[in-house]
């Protein structure tokens, strides 16, 4: 199955551009979320380097962000660049659990391979297994309690576009493969 950037952009924009004034946009080297301003009249999710996986990841952050956070650049999150210490890496992972769980669910809906991202290639990520386990546990919670409204809208749109199974089957989420 081919995953084209134009497709994920169109799917996202069809789902959310009108109601949320938000567009998914192919960006440059680094991803960023910018709320509407005097220069750009819409909220923009810029994903990095033209990667489908980056688009899914940045979308997941938008899906987790509440109404007030969506008014802030990069949702008001701190970001320490690549090269974090092991302690700072644990802090980073705490805020990544929900977005990466949603990313995994969306990737599965799109028939796309998900990889957990420590996003610390030049630092010491340490043992990433607890992080992967936390992401898996969050997926289980979403399966049991349901997805947030916007996440479910997008998941259903991905399922319809890619012709994948509409049910979120926990058996398809193998922690050993991420």
């Amino acid at each position: 199955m081919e995953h084209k950037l134009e497709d994920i952009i169109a799917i996202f924009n069809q789902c959310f551009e009108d109601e949320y004034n938000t567009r998914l946009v192919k960006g440059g080297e680094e991803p960023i979320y910018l709320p509407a301003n005097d220069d750009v009249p819409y909220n923009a999710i810029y994903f990095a380097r033209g990667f489908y996986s980056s688009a899914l990841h940045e979308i997941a952050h938008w899906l987790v962000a509440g109404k007030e956070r969506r008014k802030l650049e990069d949702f008001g999150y701190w970001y320490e660049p690549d090269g974090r210490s092991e302690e700072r890496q644990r802090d980073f992972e705490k805020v990544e659990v929900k977005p990466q769980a949603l990313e995994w669910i969306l990737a599965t809906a799109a028939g796309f391979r998900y990889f957990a991202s420590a996003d610390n290639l030049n630092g010491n990520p340490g043992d990433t297994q607890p992080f992967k386990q936390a992401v898996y546990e969050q997926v289980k919670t979403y399966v049991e309690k349901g997805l947030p409204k916007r996440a479910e809208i997008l998941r259903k749109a991905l399922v319809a576009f890619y012709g994948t199974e509409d049910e979120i089957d926990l058996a398809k989420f193998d922690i050993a493969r991420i």
Side-chain angles (χ1 to χ4, degrees):
M1 180 179 313
E2 189 175 359
H3 292 85
K4 297 178 183 174
L5 298 178
E6 301 80 25
D7 295 336
I8 189 66
I9 290 169
I11 294 165
F12 180 89
N13 292 350
Q14 286 168 5
C15 289
F16 303 113
E17 186 172 4
D18 290 342
E19 184 175 352
Y20 294 94
N21 190 34
T22 302
R23 295 181 191 172
L24 181 63
V25 182
K26 180 181 172 187
E29 288 299 307
E30 294 296 328
I32 190 165
Y33 170 79
L34 299 174
N37 58 50
D38 291 339
D39 297 323
V40 180
Y42 55 86
N43 306 306
I45 303 169
Y46 293 95
F47 62 96
R49 301 181 191 99
F51 292 134
Y52 192 94
S53 57
S54 177
L56 288 177
H57 185 79
E58 297 312 313
I59 288 168
H61 275 288
W62 181 80
L63 292 170
V64 169
K67 187 175 184 177
E68 292 305 309
R69 282 206 177 259
R70 292 193 310 270
K71 295 176 183 176
L72 304 172
E73 182 174 317
D74 260 353
F75 313 110
Y77 291 123
W78 65 272
Y79 181 76
E80 188 173 318
D82 197 4
R84 292 181 290 276
S85 67
E86 192 169 341
E87 180 183 353
R88 292 302 282 170
Q89 182 64 23
R90 297 294 82 83
D91 293 337
F92 170 80
E93 290 172 355
K94 286 176 190 169
V95 299
E96 282 289 313
V97 170
K98 284 185 178 182
Q100 290 208 28
L102 286 177
E103 179 185 351
W104 195 0
I105 290 167
L106 296 174
T108 302
F112 189 76
R113 178 85 189 263
Y114 164 79
F115 291 98
S117 174
D119 192 30
N120 198 17
L121 302 175
N122 296 321
N124 179 8
D127 181 8
T128 59
Q129 200 55 39
F131 173 62
K132 291 177 181 179
Q133 186 64 42
V135 170
Y136 178 74
E137 293 300 323
Q138 184 61 52
V139 167
K140 284 176 36 179
T141 298
Y142 283 137
V143 169
E144 292 165 7
K145 297 185 176 182
L147 292 176
K149 176 188 167 193
R150 291 177 294 136
E152 182 62 9
I153 288 168
L154 184 57
R155 188 192 71 78
K156 290 242 183 226
L158 291 169
V159 163
F161 184 86
Y162 290 105
T164 56
E165 188 176 324
D166 191 15
E167 180 183 345
I168 304 174
D169 181 358
L170 199 55
K172 293 188 180 205
F173 295 86
D174 182 359
I175 194 169
R177 296 189 66 222
I178 65 165

